[in-house]
Amino acid sequence: MVDLITKPSDSAVELHATLLTSGHLVYIHYFRAVAILQILVLHACRVFMLRGFDEQVPPSNRFLIVNDILFHDTTMYLAIISGIIYSTRLSKRPTFLFYKQRFLRVVVPYIVMSMLFSTLLFFRWNGVEGIHDLIALTKFLSYNVLWGEAQNTYWYIPVVVLLYALSPILHRLLTTAARYPMLIAAVTLPLFFSRTGTDVTIATCIFFTGTYVIGLYMGEDVEGRLGAIARYLPLLGVVAAITTALLWFLYTHGIDKWGPTSLRESVHFVQKLALGALILIWLWRRCKDLPLVVARTLDLVALSAFGLYLLHGFVFRICLRIASAVVASPDSTWNLIGGGAIIFCLGLLSCLVIIFLLRVLLGKHSRLLVG
């Protein structure tokens, strides 16, 4: 076991070769796992601090601030990954086939899970007699599906569906004279058009379209672009450190809005681009050398990433009851860390078990539920 943890084995090399053979960009595959794990950590800690006690942990709490600084806006990584994958692979397929696959693998599971959780919530609020008010139920389901309100984590799905719809146009524009204005807009507009929390707004769509365009650009020649980025690793490290320190200042002093723009979101955008580049470069260089236990874990999480995204909000709320029973006081930072860790570990394991069972029972049809 020590060898598996400290150095790559023949099995790890075989896994790497298998992923390559199946068409995966291995470092992007692992980056997807890192991204979803960071999202899960963010939500596990936040749900415990905001809902685990009679009163919410105050915004000035240092652990809450650190959690937000490190993991807020890591959804950006998913948009970058989607852009890279479209440029490198999916853009070569017929547009109709791309739309069909995205519909079956993203839109259908999202609609099914949205309707499931929305129905449960509707009957929780209205009781069993609510079934007689079909008009109200239909409106509730339609609204939640359209705006990503079935779970407070679902807001990103309508946004990414919009990005999928625009993909052929954006990708084509990058080959025209609009290329450089698009790239300039991609890195500047999100600084002023801030993501608006979990609400699907024009500003949020602009914010993530910029991130997606960066991914499309990288995917044109992903190896070459990563090589170019790698030459600036010291500068990226400095940018990541400065923006992280600036976020600490903004959070601890309660500074955010500058007119309609969120200063925190602007700094998060730059910070996550820098941190994402550092993580991606490291994975690009080291993915062949990862210990088997790490490689297999990242592979498992990456293959289940969309299912984890769809399920974790609901599952985490169930795990919250266990964490709240174990950790009764928010007075200690270690208690907050422990409660978040319980929700993360139990929630991740539970989601993976659900996904595994669905795949065993339904086979390929499980994609219609968990992607």
Side-chain angles (χ1 to χ4, degrees):
M1 178 60 71
V2 173
D3 288 340
L4 291 180
I5 297 176
T6 58
K7 65 179 182 180
S9 66
D10 292 339
S11 297
V13 175
E14 291 173 4
L15 174 61
H16 186 273
T18 300
L19 290 172
L20 285 175
T21 303
S22 63
H24 287 289
L25 292 170
V26 182
Y27 46 90
I28 300 297
H29 185 61
Y30 291 162
F31 188 40
R32 179 184 286 112
V34 172
I36 195 65
L37 287 173
Q38 290 191 53
I39 291 170
L40 264 59
V41 170
L42 171 71
H43 292 162
C45 293
R46 283 189 67 85
V47 75
F48 183 65
M49 286 185 279
L50 300 182
R51 301 191 180 194
F53 307 100
D54 293 335
E55 296 184 4
Q56 293 184 353
V57 170
S60 59
N61 181 273
R62 293 193 173 188
F63 180 61
L64 180 60
I65 291 174
V66 169
N67 186 54
D68 277 5
I69 288 175
L70 292 179
F71 304 120
H72 177 67
D73 272 339
T74 45
T75 320
M76 285 174 54
Y77 299 158
L78 299 181
I80 291 174
I81 291 167
S82 295
I84 292 173
I85 296 301
Y86 183 82
S87 272
T88 55
R89 292 171 50 192
L90 302 180
S91 63
K92 300 175 177 60
R93 300 177 182 178
T95 301
F96 172 76
L97 179 59
F98 165 70
Y99 284 147
K100 178 182 177 182
Q101 290 178 336
R102 293 305 91 186
F103 178 77
L104 292 176
R105 297 183 182 182
V106 176
V107 177
V108 171
Y110 164 69
I111 291 176
V112 170
M113 288 299 174
S114 290
M115 293 185 71
L116 170 62
F117 294 134
S118 295
T119 301
L120 292 175
L121 186 59
F122 182 83
F123 287 129
R124 179 183 175 187
W125 288 348
N126 298 281
V128 178
E129 59 273 12
I131 196 171
H132 300 295
D133 195 349
L134 293 179
I135 294 177
L137 176 59
T138 301
K139 289 181 178 179
F140 187 66
L141 295 177
S142 301
Y143 180 84
N144 284 356
V145 169
L146 182 61
W147 298 107
E149 294 286 345
Q151 296 281 304
N152 62 2
T153 56
Y154 277 15
W155 62 270
Y156 177 68
I157 310 301
V159 174
V160 80
V161 169
L162 173 65
L163 297 178
Y164 289 148
L166 295 175
S167 292
I169 299 172
L170 295 173
H171 187 258
R172 174 61 180 167
L173 286 174
L174 282 175
T175 65
T176 68
R179 175 185 183 84
Y180 291 109
M182 279 182 64
L183 292 174
I184 292 171
V187 296
T188 56
L189 289 183
L191 298 175
F192 302 98
F193 291 87
S194 305
R195 168 188 160 182
T196 50
T198 59
D199 296 322
V200 180
T201 60
I202 293 175
T204 293
C205 292
I206 292 173
F207 184 91
F208 281 94
T209 300
T211 309
Y212 190 70
V213 168
I214 292 171
L216 291 174
Y217 172 72
M218 289 184 63
E220 291 178 342
D221 176 20
V222 65
E223 299 278 340
R225 300 277 148 76
L226 288 174
I229 293 172
R231 294 198 292 269
Y232 299 96
L233 285 184
L235 177 60
L236 288 170
V238 171
V239 171
I242 291 175
T243 50
T244 300
L246 181 55
L247 283 169
W248 177 261
F249 175 82
L250 293 174
Y251 274 91
T252 54
H253 287 79
I255 301 171
D256 187 11
K257 291 293 185 179
W258 181 49
T261 300
S262 166
L263 296 176
R264 295 180 189 177
E265 289 294 341
S266 300
V267 179
H268 268 297
F269 177 75
V270 178
Q271 182 215 34
K272 291 306 182 292
L273 287 180
L275 287 175
L278 291 171
I279 295 169
L280 191 50
I281 292 297
W282 189 87
L283 289 170
W284 177 52
R285 289 177 168 176
R286 299 294 303 274
C287 63
K288 295 180 181 179
D289 304 319
L290 289 176
L292 177 60
V293 66
V294 175
R296 288 205 178 281
T297 299
L298 292 178
D299 177 47
L300 173 63
V301 172
L303 291 173
S304 306
F306 191 53
L308 289 170
Y309 193 89
L310 290 175
L311 293 171
H312 81 276
F314 178 78
V315 173
F316 276 10
R317 286 189 179 88
I318 296 174
C319 296
L320 172 62
R321 300 174 183 176
I322 300 173
S324 297
V326 174
V327 182
S329 170
D331 296 336
S332 166
T333 298
W334 288 110
N335 284 354
L336 298 179
I337 294 173
I342 290 171
I343 294 173
F344 172 78
C345 294
L346 287 180
L348 175 61
L349 180 60
S350 299
C351 288
L352 289 174
V353 169
I354 293 170
I355 293 168
F356 173 77
L357 291 176
L358 287 173
R359 286 174 175 169
V360 170
L361 294 173
L362 302 178
K364 292 182 179 181
H365 297 296
S366 64
R367 291 180 178 178
L368 299 176
L369 295 178
V370 290

